[in-house]
Amino acid sequence: MTLHPTGGDPDRFGTEAFYASLGRAFVAMCAVVPFLFLIEALDQGLGFGLDVAAGIIPQRIQGLDGVFFSPFLHHGFDHLYSNSIPLILLGTFVLAAGVRRFLWSTLVIILVSGLGVWFTGSPNSVVVGASGVIFGYLGLLLTRGIVERSWWNFAVVLLVGLLYGWQLLGILPTDERISWQGHLFGLLGGVVAAILFRRRRPHDPYGPYRVESTLNS
């Protein structure tokens, strides 16, 4: 048994340790967004052309490295602004469940979303942005709520659905200049990550049986 004398189990909703973990995760995710703004400012200010140089160019070998770099790039500040709040909100709850699970889950989401775009996207396009990761976090929290029976994960998804539910239509094909493939495969990547890195419950050696003791007077 693992004891948490300083505030309870950090994975248990409502405990002091849970809220402390959530607070640290929120601060960490808030620090990520200025980093993304710095990249965009340098790209625009110095004319690096990073979108084309490091974005995903579907079905072309020279655009394959964009699978890893494209989530850090955006097509202008408006694009970055629209991704910032959902990235912080969803990323906070994913990170609060553990740094190691967060890093591995994010890597899986980036790979599934990026490779999905590279295989199925238009070869005449360049795809950048963190929206695939955002949809991945959404799929991860929803699936984690099912496989780990975590009701607060469902509550988070419901909250995000109320705020950004219209964006879920982004997984459907559209005529707009939006990579619906990145959204769709990002969501699928989140489902895969939630299953691969699910928290397994400790084995109960007594199964469904109850252990009773008797005292002799």
Side-chain angles (χ1 to χ4, degrees), residues 22-160:
L22 203 61
R24 290 191 296 269
F26 177 75
V27 171
M29 291 306 302
C30 285
V32 170
V33 171
F35 174 69
L36 298 179
F37 272 93
L38 177 60
I39 293 176
E40 186 62 27
L42 291 174
D43 185 27
Q44 292 196 22
L46 300 178
F48 287 154
L50 292 179
D51 289 1
V52 175
I56 300 174
I57 304 177
Q59 303 174 34
R60 297 188 181 182
I61 296 299
Q62 64 268 32
L64 189 57
D65 58 351
V67 168
F68 295 100
F69 297 124
S70 63
F72 302 98
L73 306 173
H74 289 81
H75 185 59
F77 286 106
D78 289 342
H79 185 201
L80 181 51
Y81 280 126
S82 67
N83 281 339
S84 295
I85 295 179
L87 180 64
I88 291 174
L89 182 61
L90 291 169
T92 293
F93 285 96
V94 175
L95 178 56
V99 175
R100 182 176 298 179
R101 284 213 296 173
F102 171 81
L103 293 176
W104 280 111
S105 296
T106 302
L107 178 60
V108 168
I109 290 169
I110 288 175
L111 284 174
V112 174
S113 175
L115 290 175
V117 169
W118 191 83
F119 277 109
T120 65
S122 169
N124 297 319
S125 65
V126 178
V127 180
V128 295
S131 54
V133 174
I134 293 171
F135 273 81
Y137 288 161
L138 185 65
L140 185 150
L141 290 172
L142 178 60
T143 307
R144 184 180 288 174
I146 297 173
V147 299
E148 297 184 11
R149 301 177 186 176
S150 175
W151 293 106
W152 71 266
N153 278 295
F154 280 124
V156 172
V157 172
L158 178 61
L159 173 62
V160 174

Side-chain angles (χ1 to χ4, degrees), residues 195-208:
I195 295 173
L196 287 178
F197 308 117
R198 65 187 181 277
R199 195 179 303 280
R200 303 180 188 275
R201 296 190 174 192
H203 175 66
D204 184 359
Y206 300 106

